[in-house]
Amino acid sequence: SVADNVYESKYIYDGGSSNNCSITQSNQGVNCEVTFTIRKSITGPIYLYYELQNFYQNHRRYILSKSITQLQGQVLSQGDVELSCNPLYLNGTTLLNPCGLIANSFFNDVFTLNSAASIPSTVTLDETNIALPSDKASLFAQVQ
């Protein structure tokens, strides 16, 4: 079956294992490197996924904190986004664009894959076409 050709390996790198990569406060500036070995010969394509624990993207407050109109590229006033983007629509006195918790949540983990030590080289990660075409075409746009 197809499942027979799947290789899965889980590595916890946020302090829950032998490495010391835990983040205890925002903007901590922690750099962490985790090295692991895949002990099986794998043929492509290879997909890399990562999982976040205790991050609640389905929490009501998080889901509602956005302005679809603003994400579609329209310039809006504070009054237009204050209710829909609450609690994150201003940075001091500057109106955020995009506003809201969703638009201002991001992860900056960087992944690098290297081939076997006997043939050292970096494996290229293809990050193209990872957004849904429908989202690119109609949901998110640059401000005009």
Side-chain angles (χ1 to χ4, degrees):
S1 80
V2 174
D4 293 336
N5 295 324
V6 173
Y7 174 84
E8 181 177 344
S9 187
K10 185 181 254 187
Y11 298 93
I12 298 172
Y13 62 94
D14 64 354
S17 61
S18 60
N19 61 58
N20 187 16
C21 295
S22 66
I23 307 281
T24 57
Q25 62 188 18
S26 63
N27 299 317
Q28 195 169 344
V30 173
N31 288 319
C32 176
E33 183 175 316
V34 177
T35 302
F36 58 89
T37 303
I38 298 173
R39 302 193 186 284
K40 180 179 178 184
S41 178
I42 302 173
T43 58
I46 298 172
Y47 299 97
L48 175 69
Y49 299 93
Y50 72 101
E51 172 184 351
L52 301 172
Q53 300 266 334
N54 299 321
F55 180 71
Y56 301 103
Q57 284 183 288
N58 61 347
H59 189 279
R60 184 175 189 275
R61 184 175 188 194
Y62 184 84
I63 289 173
L64 295 175
S65 182
K66 67 181 178 300
S67 169
I68 295 296
T69 308
Q70 190 187 53
L71 291 172
Q72 290 174 329
Q74 294 189 28
V75 177
L76 301 174
S77 69
Q78 180 176 333
D80 293 330
V81 298
E82 189 170 354
L83 184 60
S84 61
C85 290
N86 191 44
L88 196 55
Y89 57 91
L90 289 175
N91 181 7
T93 58
T94 304
L95 184 64
L96 293 174
N97 188 351
C99 64
L101 293 172
I102 290 176
N104 288 280
S105 300
F106 64 95
F107 302 94
N108 60 353
D109 294 1
V110 176
F111 297 93
T112 305
L113 300 178
N114 296 306
S115 66
S118 60
I119 313 169
S121 67
T122 300
V123 177
T124 302
L125 297 175
D126 182 2
E127 298 177 3
T128 59
N129 298 318
I130 60 174
L132 295 172
S134 59
D135 286 352
K136 288 174 62 177
S138 62
L139 187 55
F140 303 107
Q142 294 295 318
V143 174
Q144 299 301 317

